[in-house]
Amino acid sequence: MTSLWLADRPDRPMAPTLADESDRSADVVVIGAGITGLVTAVLLARAGKDVLVLEARTAGAGATGNTTAKISLLQGTRMTDIVARHSPKVARQYVQGNLEGQQWLIDYCAARDIDVQRETAYTYAQTLEGLGAAEAELSACRAAGLNVDWVDEADVPFPFHGGVRLTDQAQFDPMPLLDSLIDELGERGGRLAEGARVHRVSHDGARLKLHVHTHTGAELEVVADQCVLATGIPILDRGGFFARLTPHRSYCMAFRVPGNVTRGMYISADSPTRSTRSAPTADGELLIVGGAGHPVGRRNDAAASVEELATWAKFHWPGAVQTHYWSAQDYAPVDALPYVGPILPGHDKIQVATGFDKWGMTNGVAAALALAGRILGGRMDWAAAYASWSPHELSGIPAAVQANLTVGFNLAKGWIAPLTRIGTPAVEDCGVVSGPPWHLEAHSVVDGIARTVSPVCPHLGGIVNWNDADKSWECPLHGSRFAPDGTLLEGPATRDLTRSG
């Protein structure tokens, strides 16, 4: 399961992992080498900071390399949620941040000869019942200052009952951008270490001490004046961001289709979500279709939803042949706005960036601009909408309460339900958690290989569930994910599941 962007890339040696002790100190350590982390690192390096980026896997292995890569200010029905919870001023600040992120990204790509396709974006109703949601998004976008209009028809093969249109948006392959950012980081004296997972951060006098586990098995310490957590969801629990975010998994497929590929970037306002865009490749243009999303660890039949998405694509583009399949994880904030800034009020040594809710191409760059500005002593008025701690978060309290009640329910259910599965064997491509609470085991069989691990998530003790689409273990509490053998794929956990036998 490799995304279109990550497939067929030239082999690149893994960036060296802190082999010399002299490499283990920096002014700023950025944790995470996706779009947010690398743009932040480059901005700081341009200002003369000594910057070190630590990446647990490889650059782009997380959301950035598994996105649909739409660089759009029209973001499904996101503006409806923001306007419903916040003032028009906050909504306009959010749009301004996205606009500056979008423009920085497009300008950078132009300067570095990175291909970007300009396209029109649509949020549309795929059913008559969905018209209300699309019309509400039109009103919300206009209130926030976006120059949108309404169209009743579009040249598409799927049902379209009207929608919001925003011209002159963009899309691209994000990996050449990351490659260019890594090159510039090195040119400016910054460093990248891949295969370096940060387990925890503590204080060492006036500096921070980062405890790092490398892919070679070494346990190292890195010191810094400040650090930035650009890890999707913060890997540190202080600040409680895991309780202010809901992790979601969504799926994408690329297809080769007969005739012309449908141009434009489309996303439905009604469910089930249907997202499409085109993608130029060396072998011709492909169609990307996305959707089938669900809260992480809380769907028993993800594979069936993915199959339904594929069937939808093949029905509306007869003769379509699937070439790639992948999935991504995103985090929805309880108050509909990203969290960018100190991990705790007044605690500027550790900064966070999270809650982009599937729109990380513009929001990720906006977050980097805000973080770099804050670290360097600057200020951007629009950054108030992104504040990690702000009175506007009060609007998210009801959603936070509901989300955490659901977490509590899943915690209890996870420890009790396996009693009913004692003796249930795992079959090919399946995983089963069974046993009494004092002896739970997670059994899976993938590619004929049977594995047994502890199902207890090392983050906060949730019991993982099996994702039959991704063939992985997922924690329903806060979205940590693990391979069948227990290897950590995504946080907030920072350690693998315990292996049995």
Side-chain angles (χ1 to χ4, degrees), residues 360-397:
M361 296 299 97
T362 51
N363 275 307
V365 179
L369 293 169
L371 288 170
R374 188 179 187 99
I375 290 169
L376 297 172
R379 178 187 172 189
M380 299 167 183
D381 289 340
W382 54 261
Y386 288 71
S388 53
W389 298 96
S390 171
H392 66 56
E393 294 174 50
L394 295 175
S395 68
I397 288 177

Side-chain angles (χ1 to χ4, degrees), residues 126-477:
Q126 56 185 329
T127 63
L128 290 174
E129 291 76 14
L131 275 172
E135 290 167 348
E137 185 65 14
L138 176 72
S139 299
C141 287
R142 286 176 171 169
L146 282 172
N147 187 26
V148 295
D149 63 353
W150 181 266
V151 291
D152 290 313
E153 297 179 345
D155 184 18
V156 294
F158 49 81
F160 184 100
H161 291 275
V164 188
R165 176 174 63 186
L166 183 61
T167 60
D168 201 28
Q169 301 306 290
Q171 61 183 31
F172 74 153
D173 174 347
M175 294 310 295
L177 169 71
L178 294 197
D179 290 341
S180 183
L181 289 167
I182 292 168
D183 288 344
E184 183 179 353
L185 180 64
E187 292 162 4
R188 297 184 180 275
R191 293 156 289 151
L192 166 66
E194 296 175 302
R197 184 178 297 280
V198 177
H199 283 175
R200 57 192 177 93
V201 179
S202 58
H203 289 272
D204 184 20
R207 307 195 80 193
L208 298 173
K209 181 186 291 184
L210 290 80
H211 303 262
V212 182
H213 179 82
T214 75
H215 71 283
T216 62
E219 297 283 348
L220 305 174
E221 292 181 349
V222 174
V223 293
D225 295 326
Q226 293 176 284
C227 81
V228 172
L229 303 180
T231 53
I233 187 171
I235 59 168
L236 303 180
D237 287 345
R238 65 198 79 164
F241 289 94
F242 62 84
R244 300 158 66 189
L245 298 159
T246 301
H248 288 267
R249 199 92 195 142
S250 54
Y251 303 85
C252 285
M253 284 165 273
F255 294 89
R256 192 171 305 284
V257 300
N260 295 326
V261 171
T262 302
R263 302 296 298 272
M265 301 183 297
Y266 292 83
I267 186 168
S268 62
D270 43 350
S271 295
T273 299
R274 299 291 184 243
S275 170
T276 69
R277 61 157 284 194
S278 59
T281 73
D283 297 323
E285 205 162 28
L286 299 179
L287 172 74
I288 295 177
V289 175
H294 60 88
V296 177
R298 303 178 193 174
R299 186 71 176 262
N300 294 325
D301 58 348
S305 295
V306 172
E307 181 58 33
E308 180 188 17
L309 181 65
T311 300
W312 178 86
K314 292 174 182 177
F315 177 82
H316 293 295
W317 286 270
V321 176
Q322 183 178 320
T323 60
H324 300 78
Y325 161 77
W326 68 99
S327 63
Q329 191 144 310
D330 298 277
Y331 300 89
V334 295
D335 68 342
L337 291 170
Y339 304 127
V340 180
I343 194 168
L344 289 168
H347 193 94
D348 281 348
K349 284 187 174 293
I350 303 176
Q351 305 278 333
V352 302
T354 186
F356 303 151
D357 200 12
K358 303 181 183 179
W359 297 99
M361 296 299 97
T362 51
N363 275 307
V365 179
L369 293 169
L371 288 170
R374 188 179 187 99
I375 290 169
L376 297 172
R379 178 187 172 189
M380 299 167 183
D381 289 340
W382 54 261
Y386 288 71
S388 53
W389 298 96
S390 171
H392 66 56
E393 294 174 50
L394 295 175
S395 68
I397 288 177
V401 170
Q402 181 59 49
N404 285 283
L405 286 173
T406 303
V407 166
F409 170 78
N410 280 285
L411 177 62
K413 176 183 175 183
W415 283 92
I416 296 171
L419 279 168
T420 66
R421 307 188 199 107
I422 293 176
T424 302
V427 296
E428 181 64 38
D429 291 339
C430 288
V432 177
V433 177
S434 63
W438 55 90
H439 188 59
L440 293 179
E441 291 185 324
H443 306 278
S444 66
V445 181
V446 177
D447 296 330
I449 301 174
R451 299 179 176 90
T452 300
V453 297
S454 166
V456 182
C457 177
H459 176 228
L460 290 179
I463 303 302
V464 298
N465 290 320
W466 183 252
N467 180 320
D468 61 353
D470 282 351
K471 309 298 185 292
S472 62
W473 295 109
E474 298 182 344
C475 180
L477 272 59

Side-chain angles (χ1 to χ4, degrees), residues 20-81:
D20 297 325
E21 191 169 345
S22 59
D23 291 335
R24 301 172 199 165
S25 177
D27 295 335
V28 183
V29 170
V30 177
I31 306 173
I35 190 170
T36 305
L38 286 173
V39 173
T40 302
V42 165
L43 291 172
L44 294 174
R46 286 179 181 179
K49 292 286 188 181
D50 177 24
V51 184
L52 170 63
V53 180
L54 300 178
E55 166 57 45
R57 292 186 284 172
T58 57
T64 302
N66 292 284
T67 176
T68 56
K70 297 178 180 179
I71 313 170
S72 178
L73 305 185
L74 182 62
Q75 302 173 349
T77 58
R78 187 170 175 83
M79 200 54 61
T80 301
D81 294 337

